[in-house]
Amino acid sequence: MPNIISVVLTGNVSPLTSALAQGAAQLGAFGAKAQRLGAQAQASAAQANRLGAASQQAAAQAGRLGGQAEVAAQRVNRLGAQADQAAQRSALLARQAESAGRGADQLRRQAEQAALRAQQLRNQAQGAAEASARLRAEAAGAAESAARLRAQAEAAADRTRRLGEEAERAAQRAQRMQLGMQAAAAGVALLAVGLGVAVVKAVSFEAKMRQVASIDEHVRDNFAQMSQAVLDLAKELPQSADVLAE
């Protein structure tokens, strides 16, 4: 803030005007910064929402894969039971073929078919077990992905909160600067009024002293000293300088 006394003595209010312009520019910059921070906070909140939705989808996928893994495990158990039953039937048919002696060829073919069916069932059970293991691995990966997305969503929400707080602080600072600018403008107006009154009085006093100097050679030769003497006398007497000059 420029020196108020120098402004009053010189009558130059340009420094105050420049200071007010600089304050207005700073106020605009703080307002723009508050808007940018608000936009960043909104974008961060939208990202947090998207990450939260992705986390929920990943968790749902993990649940579905877990259910599929359980279904595959149940199928493996059923196929294993069927394989055991086929093996038992094959053994029974083999025993019947050996003991009966009749229809040995037919029973042997049935036994071979049952053994082949049992092998097929074993292969299916092995394939189902491998599929079940893959599904379990996919479910575990989906659960890990859901956990990472949840952590990212929480980090984005925390960043949104910090940006909101920073934007609020910037807005408060801009408001304080605006109030300071308004107070400074009011001070400049009052200073201009006082300066105008002082200039008018000074012009009136000098005119009256010039009038006295025109008729008094001593006053004319010592104009500055006489003017100061009248001003000093006005400080001690109840009359103003204009009255004493008259």
Side-chain angles (χ1 to χ4, degrees):
M1 181 63 70
N3 193 332
I4 300 299
I5 297 176
S6 65
V7 173
V8 173
L9 294 177
T10 61
N12 182 12
V13 296
S14 296
L16 285 176
T17 305
S18 299
L20 289 174
Q22 292 177 359
Q26 291 179 359
L27 177 61
F30 279 115
K33 182 178 180 181
Q35 291 179 355
R36 289 195 301 271
L37 289 174
Q40 291 178 2
Q42 292 178 357
S44 181
Q47 183 182 5
N49 292 332
R50 289 193 298 269
L51 290 173
S55 175
Q56 293 178 356
Q57 291 177 356
Q61 183 180 3
R64 289 193 298 270
L65 290 173
Q68 293 177 2
E70 292 179 359
V71 172
Q74 294 175 359
R75 184 181 179 190
V76 169
N77 294 332
R78 288 196 300 270
L79 290 174
Q82 291 177 2
D84 292 339
Q85 291 176 359
Q88 292 175 2
R89 183 180 178 187
S90 176
L92 177 62
L93 290 173
R95 288 194 299 271
Q96 289 177 356
E98 292 174 358
S99 61
R102 296 187 304 269
D105 292 339
Q106 183 178 0
L107 291 175
R108 190 177 296 107
R109 286 192 299 270
Q110 290 179 357
E112 291 175 354
Q113 291 176 358
L116 180 61
R117 177 59 178 169
Q119 185 60 41
Q120 291 174 351
L121 290 173
R122 289 191 183 93
N123 294 336
Q124 291 179 3
Q126 184 178 359
E130 293 175 354
S132 176
R134 287 194 301 270
L135 289 173
R136 288 193 183 93
E138 290 178 2
E144 293 178 357
S145 177
R148 287 194 301 270
L149 289 173
R150 189 178 299 108
Q152 292 176 3
E154 292 176 355
D158 185 64
R159 183 168 179 262
T160 299
R161 178 184 58 78
R162 291 196 302 271
L163 287 173
E165 292 176 352
E166 187 175 353
E168 184 177 358
R169 289 193 296 271
Q172 291 175 355
R173 185 176 180 186
Q175 184 178 7
R176 289 195 299 270
M177 288 194 64
Q178 184 177 6
L179 293 176
M181 293 292 295
Q182 292 175 354
V188 170
L190 292 176
L191 179 61
V193 172
L195 183 61
V197 173
V199 169
V200 170
K201 289 183 178 181
V203 170
S204 176
F205 172 72
E206 184 176 359
K208 291 178 180 179
M209 288 298 297
R210 292 291 180 186
Q211 185 178 1
V212 174
S214 65
I215 60 176
D216 190 327
E217 184 178 355
H218 178 71
V219 174
R220 183 173 59 253
D221 295 338
N222 302 277
F223 183 79
Q225 292 84 352
M226 294 300 295
S227 297
Q228 185 61 44
V230 172
L231 292 173
D232 293 338
L233 187 59
K235 296 178 181 179
E236 299 178 358
L237 298 178
Q239 288 82 7
S240 64
D242 287 347
V243 174
L244 294 175
E246 293 176 356

